[in-house]
Amino acid sequence: QRISAWQDFARRLAHEIKNPLTPIQLAAQELDETYDGENEAYRKKLEHARAIIEEEVATLRRLVGEFSSFAKLPRADLSPSDLCDLAHGIQDAVPAILEDVGRGTPAPVEVRVTCATEPIRVRMDPMMLKRGVDNLLRNAIQSVYEAHPSGGGEVLVRAYRTEASGFIEVRDNGPGISRENWDRVFDPYYTTKTEGTGLGLAIVKKVVLEHGGQVRLDRAPEGGARFSIELPLMDSP
Ligand SMILES: Nc1ncnc2c1ncn2[C@@H]1O[C@H](COP(=O)(O)OP(=O)(O)OP(=O)(O)O)[C@@H](O)[C@H]1O
Ligand SMILES: [Mg+2]
């Protein structure tokens, strides 16, 4: 399958990048620490170069960490659960995500989470699916916050059901995604953000497929993006 070929690639890439990092860092330390010349300006230059190398090595290590956690994404462990419980769990996570996106002060974005009063019974791995919906919510908040930095951004997370399926959708009033990119956004490493890894939606897709479900993207009634996850309903008990 396409996603698991990417996972394999991520694993190998992570490995190839990780191995040389320690020797690079040690070599930079060595150069800096063993200089015993008199040239003060040169000693400063060495220190500066070492700091840059160490910082960039740390960044690469973090990136490699992301790659390998994508490569190691576990198999879903499915059990009967209620999509509304998932929605409530997401509700609890909202303040922390707003704080994260606003870098310490909560981003002024209005987030509503709704669910039907009746349980929506599906088979799911609650932790993995929550991770997926969390990624969708984070994306939505980031994009409306960027579009409306001083308020006015709105995100709706809604769980509902039809005859045969349970749904959880995340939609926003941000800039949306142009139609020609609707497929690409799910590709691993596709990102338009300076600090993005582009793995968020690839993880969502993988998680949803493991649930025997589907994830779709279209335009939200509010004008932004709408991502909806569809899961088969369990037969009534
Ligand atoms: N709600 C949204 N509104 C507008 N664009 C979106 C939205 N969600 C995703 N995108 C687009 O899809 C791209 C891929 O999203 P994805 O979550 O996979 O990676 P990312 O958010 O860029 O990086 P990361 O998730 O690692 O922080 C984003 O860079 C953005 O361009
Ligand atoms: Mg993301």
Side-chain angles (χ1 to χ4, degrees), residues 181-200:
N181 289 326
W182 281 5
D183 285 329
R184 284 171 76 197
V185 293
F186 293 101
D187 288 346
Y189 311 119
Y190 173 82
T191 183
T192 56
K193 299 171 190 168
T194 41
E195 288 177 22
T197 63
L199 291 178

Side-chain angles (χ1 to χ4, degrees), residues 22-70:
T22 303
I24 289 172
Q25 189 178 344
L26 289 177
Q29 274 169 17
E30 172 89 6
L31 279 179
D32 180 27
E33 279 160 14
T34 57
Y35 179 69
D36 56 5
E38 307 281 85
N39 189 331
E40 186 60 16
Y42 185 67
R43 201 180 54 74
K44 281 245 143 53
K45 216 176 247 177
L46 272 178
E47 251 171 46
H48 184 61
R50 172 182 171 175
I52 292 174
I53 291 170
E54 286 183 340
E55 195 181 315
E56 298 295 338
V57 164
T59 305
L60 282 173
R61 271 192 217 287
R62 229 178 23 246
L63 202 66
V64 161
E66 306 256 11
F67 281 12
S68 12
S69 73
F70 174 66

Side-chain angles (χ1 to χ4, degrees), residues 8-232:
D8 206 46
F9 176 68
R11 181 167 25 241
R12 286 164 59 179
L13 193 62
H15 186 75
E16 297 299 325
I17 293 173
K18 188 159 68 189
N19 285 341
L21 291 183
T22 303
I24 289 172
Q25 189 178 344
L26 289 177
Q29 274 169 17
E30 172 89 6
L31 279 179
D32 180 27
E33 279 160 14
T34 57
Y35 179 69
D36 56 5
E38 307 281 85
N39 189 331
E40 186 60 16
Y42 185 67
R43 201 180 54 74
K44 281 245 143 53
K45 216 176 247 177
L46 272 178
E47 251 171 46
H48 184 61
R50 172 182 171 175
I52 292 174
I53 291 170
E54 286 183 340
E55 195 181 315
E56 298 295 338
V57 164
T59 305
L60 282 173
R61 271 192 217 287
R62 229 178 23 246
L63 202 66
V64 161
E66 306 256 11
F67 281 12
S68 12
S69 73
F70 174 66
K72 284 198 211 94
L73 208 62
R75 290 213 85 88
D77 179 11
L78 303 180
S79 58
S81 335
D82 178 359
L83 260 187
C84 289
D85 287 342
L86 179 74
H88 294 136
I90 289 295
Q91 173 101 67
D92 294 338
V94 168
I97 300 177
L98 289 175
E99 187 107 7
D100 250 22
V101 173
R103 296 181 187 280
T105 49
V109 172
E110 194 192 314
V111 180
R112 279 196 308 136
V113 182
T114 68
C115 189
T117 44
E118 297 288 302
I120 303 173
R121 295 170 47 78
V122 296
R123 289 165 55 77
M124 67 175 166
D125 182 324
M127 255 176 54
M128 279 183 75
L129 202 59
K130 179 154 186 264
R131 180 168 169 195
V133 178
D134 188 291
N135 284 344
L136 295 179
L137 181 56
R138 220 167 259 275
N139 282 344
I141 292 175
Q142 281 169 348
S143 80
V144 299
Y145 177 48
E146 201 173 299
H148 313 273
S150 44
E154 289 168 24
V155 176
L156 174 63
V157 181
R158 185 167 82 100
Y160 64 98
R161 59 165 289 178
T162 58
E163 264 312 295
S165 305
F167 290 84
I168 185 157
E169 67 175 19
V170 179
R171 51 196 241 206
D172 64 70
N173 69 344
I177 299 171
S178 60
R179 188 178 284 265
E180 66 265 25
N181 289 326
W182 281 5
D183 285 329
R184 284 171 76 197
V185 293
F186 293 101
D187 288 346
Y189 311 119
Y190 173 82
T191 183
T192 56
K193 299 171 190 168
T194 41
E195 288 177 22
T197 63
L199 291 178
L201 288 174
I203 289 172
V204 172
K205 183 156 183 183
K206 164 100 171 106
V207 165
V208 173
L209 289 178
E210 291 237 341
H211 281 73
Q214 288 194 57
V215 54
R216 291 192 199 81
L217 165 60
D218 67 352
R219 219 174 100 99
E222 300 86 341
R226 166 163 62 190
F227 287 87
S228 37
I229 294 174
E230 175 177 6
L231 300 177

